[in-house]
Short mmCIF file of all heavy atoms in Angstrom, two decimals:
data_model
loop_
_atom_site.label_atom_id
_atom_site.label_comp_id
_atom_site.label_asym_id
_atom_site.label_seq_id
_atom_site.Cartn_x
_atom_site.Cartn_y
_atom_site.Cartn_z
N GLY A 19 -44.43 31.08 54.74
CA GLY A 19 -45.42 32.12 55.13
C GLY A 19 -44.84 33.45 55.31
O GLY A 19 -45.44 34.39 55.85
N ASN A 20 -43.61 33.73 54.81
CA ASN A 20 -42.94 34.95 55.05
C ASN A 20 -43.08 35.94 53.84
O ASN A 20 -42.80 35.56 52.73
CB ASN A 20 -41.44 34.79 55.25
CG ASN A 20 -41.15 34.15 56.63
OD1 ASN A 20 -42.02 34.08 57.46
ND2 ASN A 20 -40.00 33.73 56.81
N TRP A 21 -43.59 37.15 54.13
CA TRP A 21 -43.81 38.12 53.09
C TRP A 21 -43.70 39.53 53.69
O TRP A 21 -43.67 39.73 54.90
CB TRP A 21 -45.23 37.95 52.52
CG TRP A 21 -46.38 38.12 53.50
CD1 TRP A 21 -46.77 37.16 54.41
CD2 TRP A 21 -47.04 39.31 53.78
NE1 TRP A 21 -47.77 37.72 55.22
CE2 TRP A 21 -47.94 39.02 54.88
CE3 TRP A 21 -47.04 40.60 53.29
CZ2 TRP A 21 -48.90 40.01 55.42
CZ3 TRP A 21 -47.95 41.57 53.73
CH2 TRP A 21 -48.79 41.22 54.83
N ASN A 22 -43.61 40.44 52.80
CA ASN A 22 -43.67 41.94 53.18
C ASN A 22 -44.35 42.76 52.14
O ASN A 22 -44.90 42.13 51.13
CB ASN A 22 -42.24 42.49 53.50
CG ASN A 22 -41.25 42.34 52.35
OD1 ASN A 22 -41.70 42.26 51.21
ND2 ASN A 22 -39.99 42.28 52.62
N GLU A 23 -44.33 44.01 52.26
CA GLU A 23 -45.11 44.81 51.28
C GLU A 23 -44.52 44.73 49.85
O GLU A 23 -45.22 44.79 48.85
CB GLU A 23 -45.13 46.28 51.71
CG GLU A 23 -46.08 46.48 52.94
CD GLU A 23 -47.46 45.97 52.70
OE1 GLU A 23 -48.05 46.22 51.60
OE2 GLU A 23 -48.03 45.33 53.57
N ASN A 24 -43.20 44.45 49.72
CA ASN A 24 -42.65 44.24 48.43
C ASN A 24 -43.21 42.94 47.79
O ASN A 24 -43.34 42.89 46.57
CB ASN A 24 -41.08 44.13 48.52
CG ASN A 24 -40.41 45.48 48.68
OD1 ASN A 24 -40.91 46.45 48.28
ND2 ASN A 24 -39.22 45.44 49.27
N THR A 25 -43.56 41.97 48.63
CA THR A 25 -44.08 40.76 48.09
C THR A 25 -45.44 41.01 47.58
O THR A 25 -45.77 40.58 46.41
CB THR A 25 -44.23 39.65 49.23
OG1 THR A 25 -43.06 39.60 50.00
CG2 THR A 25 -44.61 38.34 48.68
N ARG A 26 -46.30 41.77 48.24
CA ARG A 26 -47.62 42.11 47.78
C ARG A 26 -47.53 42.88 46.39
O ARG A 26 -48.35 42.63 45.51
CB ARG A 26 -48.42 42.88 48.78
CG ARG A 26 -48.64 42.20 50.05
CD ARG A 26 -49.26 43.08 51.14
NE ARG A 26 -50.75 43.14 50.92
CZ ARG A 26 -51.48 43.92 51.66
NH1 ARG A 26 -50.97 44.69 52.57
NH2 ARG A 26 -52.78 43.97 51.47
N THR A 27 -46.61 43.81 46.42
CA THR A 27 -46.46 44.59 45.16
C THR A 27 -45.98 43.74 44.01
O THR A 27 -46.55 43.84 42.90
CB THR A 27 -45.46 45.74 45.41
OG1 THR A 27 -45.88 46.63 46.47
CG2 THR A 27 -45.29 46.53 44.09
N ALA A 28 -44.96 42.94 44.22
CA ALA A 28 -44.49 42.08 43.18
C ALA A 28 -45.53 41.08 42.75
O ALA A 28 -45.73 40.87 41.50
CB ALA A 28 -43.26 41.29 43.66
N ALA A 29 -46.32 40.49 43.70
CA ALA A 29 -47.35 39.53 43.31
C ALA A 29 -48.39 40.20 42.42
O ALA A 29 -48.81 39.66 41.41
CB ALA A 29 -48.03 39.01 44.56
N GLY A 30 -48.84 41.42 42.81
CA GLY A 30 -49.80 42.12 41.93
C GLY A 30 -49.27 42.43 40.57
O GLY A 30 -49.99 42.29 39.61
N GLN A 31 -48.01 42.77 40.50
CA GLN A 31 -47.38 43.02 39.14
C GLN A 31 -47.29 41.75 38.30
O GLN A 31 -47.23 41.86 37.02
CB GLN A 31 -45.98 43.62 39.38
CG GLN A 31 -46.02 45.05 39.94
CD GLN A 31 -44.61 45.55 40.34
OE1 GLN A 31 -43.68 44.68 40.50
NE2 GLN A 31 -44.49 46.80 40.57
N CYS A 32 -47.26 40.65 38.97
CA CYS A 32 -47.11 39.34 38.28
C CYS A 32 -48.52 38.71 37.97
O CYS A 32 -48.57 37.59 37.38
CB CYS A 32 -46.26 38.38 39.04
SG CYS A 32 -44.56 38.90 39.37
N GLY A 33 -49.54 39.34 38.32
CA GLY A 33 -50.85 38.87 38.04
C GLY A 33 -51.52 38.05 39.11
O GLY A 33 -52.56 37.35 38.89
N ILE A 34 -50.94 37.98 40.31
CA ILE A 34 -51.46 37.29 41.46
C ILE A 34 -52.57 38.08 42.08
O ILE A 34 -52.46 39.26 42.25
CB ILE A 34 -50.32 36.98 42.45
CG1 ILE A 34 -49.30 36.06 41.88
CG2 ILE A 34 -50.95 36.45 43.76
CD1 ILE A 34 -49.77 34.64 41.56
N GLU A 35 -53.60 37.37 42.44
CA GLU A 35 -54.77 37.99 42.97
C GLU A 35 -54.84 37.86 44.55
O GLU A 35 -55.59 38.64 45.19
CB GLU A 35 -56.09 37.45 42.45
CG GLU A 35 -56.19 37.67 40.89
CD GLU A 35 -57.44 36.97 40.31
OE1 GLU A 35 -58.31 36.59 41.14
OE2 GLU A 35 -57.41 36.72 39.11
N ALA A 36 -54.11 36.92 45.14
CA ALA A 36 -54.16 36.86 46.58
C ALA A 36 -52.95 36.01 47.04
O ALA A 36 -52.52 35.09 46.36
CB ALA A 36 -55.43 36.22 47.14
N LEU A 37 -52.38 36.42 48.19
CA LEU A 37 -51.34 35.52 48.89
C LEU A 37 -52.18 34.69 49.89
O LEU A 37 -52.92 35.13 50.66
CB LEU A 37 -50.31 36.41 49.63
CG LEU A 37 -49.53 37.43 48.77
CD1 LEU A 37 -48.50 38.06 49.67
CD2 LEU A 37 -48.90 36.76 47.59
N VAL A 38 -51.90 33.38 49.81
CA VAL A 38 -52.62 32.44 50.60
C VAL A 38 -51.74 31.80 51.67
O VAL A 38 -50.73 31.17 51.40
CB VAL A 38 -53.23 31.30 49.71
CG1 VAL A 38 -53.98 30.29 50.50
CG2 VAL A 38 -54.09 31.93 48.59
N LEU A 39 -52.12 32.02 52.92
CA LEU A 39 -51.44 31.43 54.09
C LEU A 39 -52.30 30.26 54.63
O LEU A 39 -52.90 29.57 53.80
CB LEU A 39 -51.24 32.43 55.14
CG LEU A 39 -50.36 33.73 54.72
CD1 LEU A 39 -50.10 34.64 55.85
CD2 LEU A 39 -49.08 33.26 54.05
N TRP A 40 -52.43 30.05 55.88
CA TRP A 40 -53.15 28.89 56.45
C TRP A 40 -53.52 29.11 57.77
O TRP A 40 -52.98 29.93 58.53
CB TRP A 40 -52.29 27.65 56.21
CG TRP A 40 -50.97 27.65 56.93
CD1 TRP A 40 -50.71 27.23 58.23
CD2 TRP A 40 -49.76 28.13 56.46
NE1 TRP A 40 -49.38 27.43 58.60
CE2 TRP A 40 -48.80 28.00 57.43
CE3 TRP A 40 -49.33 28.73 55.21
CZ2 TRP A 40 -47.46 28.39 57.29
CZ3 TRP A 40 -48.06 29.10 55.06
CH2 TRP A 40 -47.09 28.93 56.06
N ARG A 41 -54.44 28.25 58.27
CA ARG A 41 -54.88 28.24 59.75
C ARG A 41 -54.41 26.98 60.46
O ARG A 41 -54.20 27.05 61.67
CB ARG A 41 -56.41 28.31 59.85
CG ARG A 41 -56.99 29.74 59.60
CD ARG A 41 -56.52 30.59 60.70
NE ARG A 41 -57.13 31.85 60.52
CZ ARG A 41 -56.82 32.90 61.30
NH1 ARG A 41 -55.94 32.77 62.24
NH2 ARG A 41 -57.42 34.09 61.14
N GLU A 42 -54.33 25.85 59.74
CA GLU A 42 -53.88 24.61 60.32
C GLU A 42 -52.79 23.99 59.39
O GLU A 42 -52.82 24.28 58.21
CB GLU A 42 -54.96 23.55 60.43
CG GLU A 42 -56.01 23.92 61.46
CD GLU A 42 -57.09 24.84 61.00
OE1 GLU A 42 -57.37 24.88 59.81
OE2 GLU A 42 -57.65 25.63 61.89
N SER A 43 -51.87 23.28 60.00
CA SER A 43 -50.86 22.59 59.17
C SER A 43 -50.92 21.09 59.58
O SER A 43 -50.97 20.74 60.82
CB SER A 43 -49.43 23.12 59.39
OG SER A 43 -49.04 23.11 60.77
N MET A 44 -50.86 20.20 58.60
CA MET A 44 -50.92 18.81 58.89
C MET A 44 -49.54 18.20 59.06
O MET A 44 -48.59 18.43 58.24
CB MET A 44 -51.62 18.06 57.74
CG MET A 44 -51.84 16.60 57.92
SD MET A 44 -52.97 16.33 59.36
CE MET A 44 -52.46 14.66 59.81
N GLN A 45 -49.33 17.46 60.13
CA GLN A 45 -48.02 16.81 60.47
C GLN A 45 -48.21 15.37 59.92
O GLN A 45 -48.76 15.13 58.87
CB GLN A 45 -47.74 16.97 61.87
CG GLN A 45 -47.74 18.37 62.40
CD GLN A 45 -46.77 19.26 61.67
OE1 GLN A 45 -45.58 18.95 61.58
NE2 GLN A 45 -47.26 20.34 61.11
N ILE A 46 -47.72 14.35 60.68
CA ILE A 46 -47.83 12.97 60.27
C ILE A 46 -49.20 12.43 60.62
O ILE A 46 -49.91 11.87 59.83
CB ILE A 46 -46.70 12.11 60.92
CG1 ILE A 46 -45.38 12.69 60.43
CG2 ILE A 46 -46.91 10.66 60.54
CD1 ILE A 46 -44.15 12.06 61.17
N ALA A 47 -49.57 12.51 61.91
CA ALA A 47 -50.89 12.03 62.37
C ALA A 47 -51.73 13.13 62.94
O ALA A 47 -52.96 12.97 63.05
CB ALA A 47 -50.60 10.95 63.48
N ASN A 48 -51.16 14.23 63.39
CA ASN A 48 -51.90 15.27 63.98
C ASN A 48 -51.90 16.55 63.24
O ASN A 48 -51.01 16.83 62.43
CB ASN A 48 -51.36 15.54 65.41
CG ASN A 48 -51.49 14.38 66.36
OD1 ASN A 48 -52.52 13.75 66.42
ND2 ASN A 48 -50.41 13.96 66.99
N MET A 49 -52.86 17.37 63.53
CA MET A 49 -52.96 18.65 62.91
C MET A 49 -52.61 19.75 63.89
O MET A 49 -52.96 19.75 65.10
CB MET A 49 -54.49 18.88 62.49
CG MET A 49 -54.62 20.02 61.49
SD MET A 49 -56.39 20.08 60.86
CE MET A 49 -56.34 18.62 59.76
N GLN A 50 -51.78 20.66 63.45
CA GLN A 50 -51.33 21.80 64.30
C GLN A 50 -52.24 23.00 64.01
O GLN A 50 -52.44 23.40 62.85
CB GLN A 50 -49.90 22.15 64.04
CG GLN A 50 -49.37 23.24 64.95
CD GLN A 50 -47.97 23.68 64.55
OE1 GLN A 50 -47.69 23.83 63.39
NE2 GLN A 50 -47.15 23.81 65.49
#
């Protein structure tokens, strides 16, 4: 989940339309 403005610039140059993070993460039995 680590990025900075260079990441956004590079992603755009490579044809990426969005950086996707998350709201929940699944562990073994529980959701964080």
Side-chain angles (χ1 to χ4, degrees):
N20 288 349
W21 61 276
N22 56 25
E23 289 306 314
N24 283 336
T25 314
R26 298 174 81 183
T27 300
Q31 292 170 343
C32 298
I34 295 295
E35 298 176 18
L37 301 185
V38 180
L39 303 182
W40 60 90
R41 283 293 183 188
E42 290 82 29
S43 59
M44 186 62 203
Q45 306 301 305
I46 298 170
N48 295 313
M49 196 173 286
Q50 184 184 44

